Amino acid sequence: MAAPQDSNETSYLFPPNSKDWEEQGIPDFVYGQKELVLEGIQWPRTAPSLLDTTPWSRFDSALCSAWRQRMDLGLFRYRLGELQTQTLPGAVGFVAQLNVERGVQRRRPQNIRSVKQAFDPEQFNFNKVRPGEVLFRLLREPDLPGALQQEDILVMINVSPLEWGHVLLVPEPTRGLPQRLLPGALRAGVEAVLLSSHPGFRVGFNSLGGLASVNHLHLHGYYLAHRLPVEGAPSEPLDPGGRLHLLRALPAPGFLFYTSGPGPDLEALISRVCRATNYLTDHEIAHNLFVTRGAPPGKTSPSSALTGIRVILWARKSSFGVKEGEAFNVALCELAGHLPVKTSQDFGSLTEAAALALIQDCLLPSAQAEEVQAALVALVAQDKQ
């Protein structure tokens, strides 16, 4: 993916001399309602490479120019080149990518024992990152709904990137919040997707036990120039008001929340999603969440237009630690259909059936899944909307 050039965003770049980094303050990226773009962001009808010719938003320009500079300054654990990518043959449309360096060089996950584990300041956390790893502070203007509850969201590089522009959204890191989703963090994630003019900029969340490797509240954001199955997968309503839907399609059944844009509808979605994740956390049920532009609920297709924001939530078996022998680990992007594969051998031999087997092995037993579904439907029924 080509990084945009924008001379107006040089304030997001760091001095080339590392001796000057400590004195460099964190720049603010301030945005308003008019920059949350909902309409007109679609996939090219032909080659994804045509995305490089589309106009970039101010958010994309700031993020990508600063991210690329940090790569040039050597702040990542490895230099991310063009990743070998393939769409696995089959009905699902898995996008597999070979990323050997991430499999080898990423930080070892922390010792997590519970979905509700408390924050431990002695463990690695995002207060300990180097100054150059923070790109900017994401700030909303007071014209946006919920602005009074705005949190200090730092956008920083993921030093072991999955793909181009892989960043972390970290709310008020000095508060020492554990990895439990909060409304302000989810709002920042959804609005980051709306700030990007790239249809493949997605945001996600891994709970503890859902392969979060750091117990300090954060979301992931990254660019992937490929459609994913969850964008247009058909769904069925689980409540009469159409506020909660079920995706039955492969690669994994998930709960779908949808909003057609910023405003009261978005605030209601954030509230519903966080009530659902609170239930899962309180009941020690690991989960993953994925935010993407997508089609409205109902009878859609993989090529449906991106008319709003889909938030997909998966409840899953807890997995503490990393399974070293598997082709990939199952977390937010894998459940959405993006498979970062660790070795060349696995990349060359991976089939749709093998990928589905790995993913389905992480899902809840059917009886527990039905219990969770009933509980989430009951939570939505309490909604006054």
Side-chain angles (χ1 to χ4, degrees), residues 247-258:
L247 296 183
R248 288 197 182 276
L250 299 172
F255 299 104
L256 171 63
F257 303 82
Y258 178 82

Side-chain angles (χ1 to χ4, degrees), residues 5 40 203 211 267 279 297:
Q5 297 281 355
V203 166
L211 264 66
E267 293 304 310
Y279 170 86

Side-chain angles (χ1 to χ4, degrees), residues 1 12 40 42 48 53 57 86 93 113 162 184 231 237 246 252 272 285 287 308 317 333 341 369:
M1 174 179 159
Y12 300 107
Q42 302 294 335
T53 65
S57 71
Q86 63 175 330
R113 301 172 302 280
L162 282 167
E231 292 174 24
L246 180 67
R272 285 194 288 271
I285 300 171
H287 47 281
K317 294 177 186 174
C333 55
V341 181

